[in-house]
Amino acid sequence: MRTHQLLPMNQSLRSVFIFSLLLVSLIRAVAQTPASVSGQVLGYLANRIGDYDGLRLRTATGEIHLSFPPHTAARIRQTATTGQRVTADLAPRPGRPLPNIQEEEKHKIIAVSYRLIRLRNEKTGVVFQLADFPPPPPQSGQLVQSEGPLMKKLFDEQGRLTALLTDKYLIELKPHQTEQISALLVGINRLGFTGFERTVNGFVNQTGRPVLHPTSLTIRGQTFAL
């Protein structure tokens, strides 16, 4: 008798467990469904070294920001130039809920937590699907040894040095490299450098210069390994 009484209970618990799994899967699928929004491209955003990695979109009632991987910048800028109207599918960044677009637009809040999934130019009909362009494999690039005038220093929003601009290259500096050479760059208007030029297609830097990952800098005739 006990066996006959426990068997239906076990089956019931199993059914509840399976139903719970299906419900969780359904909730996740709904939560991950991209939202869609239309508007005019106001311009593009850049990361710490000036690589384009986002666009500003003006909707009917406000402005939102859509992020994308830097290696897709060339294709996205070809798909939609500033001033054109687009329809964008978007999703929250990992670990963040998708904000209510309509509610945010009512208060003209600039949302920075969206990531771009798909972009369509409303005039030309051209569509760019980001999933079709995965990140490129790591590459060392082309070895370069040169010198030139130091035209500008680039800083991030916190005032930290991020790159050096010469007449030919944008020299990217990692935080530990900045700590090594910041004080040495005071009063410098020319420097030598050795490093690897980024040759991967798809990136677009707002300076128009190719990006160089340095292995050493020569300052006042003295070479410093980075």
Side-chain angles (χ1 to χ4, degrees):
M1 292 296 291
R2 290 181 181 179
T3 300
H4 291 295
Q5 289 175 350
L6 288 174
L7 186 58
M9 183 178 296
N10 288 338
Q11 291 176 342
S12 178
L13 289 174
R14 183 179 179 185
S15 299
V16 171
F17 178 72
I18 293 174
F19 176 77
S20 299
L21 288 178
L22 292 174
L23 183 61
V24 169
S25 299
L26 179 61
I27 292 173
R28 286 180 177 175
V30 172
Q32 293 174 359
T33 301
S36 182
V37 64
S38 297
Q40 183 182 37
V41 177
L42 295 176
Y44 286 84
L45 305 167
N47 61 18
R48 60 185 292 276
I49 65 167
D51 285 340
Y52 290 116
D53 68 347
L55 67 84
R56 299 169 51 221
L57 190 66
R58 180 171 64 195
T59 65
T61 55
E63 177 182 335
I64 61 173
H65 294 174
L66 307 178
S67 66
F68 52 79
H71 73 275
T72 64
R75 290 297 303 269
I76 289 176
R77 285 169 58 84
Q78 290 173 2
T79 302
T81 58
T82 300
Q84 292 185 319
R85 289 192 58 82
V86 298
T87 297
D89 292 345
L90 48 89
R93 290 182 179 177
R96 301 183 183 181
L98 182 64
N100 186 315
I101 297 175
Q102 300 299 326
E103 199 62 34
E104 291 204 6
E105 288 182 349
K106 289 178 183 179
H107 300 89
K108 298 187 178 181
I109 296 175
I110 297 178
V112 295
S113 59
Y114 303 111
R115 58 185 177 89
L116 185 62
I117 301 296
R118 179 177 179 271
L119 189 68
R120 182 177 68 85
N121 187 307
E122 294 183 358
K123 180 178 181 180
T124 65
V126 174
V127 175
F128 179 67
Q129 185 85 24
L130 275 74
D132 295 337
F133 288 80
Q139 300 180 22
S140 58
Q142 180 180 351
L143 181 62
V144 172
Q145 184 174 9
S146 184
E147 65 173 335
L150 177 56
M151 305 181 68
K152 186 179 180 181
K153 299 176 184 177
L154 276 65
F155 298 87
D156 63 15
E157 295 179 351
Q158 286 72 42
R160 295 171 295 201
L161 181 65
T162 59
L164 304 174
L165 185 66
T166 72
D167 60 335
K168 297 178 181 178
Y169 292 98
L170 177 75
I171 303 174
E172 179 182 4
L173 296 175
K174 304 297 185 184
H176 70 279
Q177 295 172 330
T178 298
E179 293 176 1
Q180 286 180 261
I181 53 97
S182 287
L184 301 172
L185 292 170
V186 176
I188 292 297
N189 54 27
R190 191 174 185 85
L191 76 163
F193 47 87
T194 301
F196 292 91
E197 177 183 342
R198 185 175 66 190
T199 56
V200 179
N201 293 327
F203 292 86
V204 180
N205 193 274
Q206 61 185 1
T207 66
R209 307 279 204 283
V211 173
L212 186 84
H213 303 293
T215 56
S216 68
L217 292 179
T218 301
I219 303 170
R220 295 190 176 95
Q222 186 173 358
T223 299
F224 300 89
L226 299 177

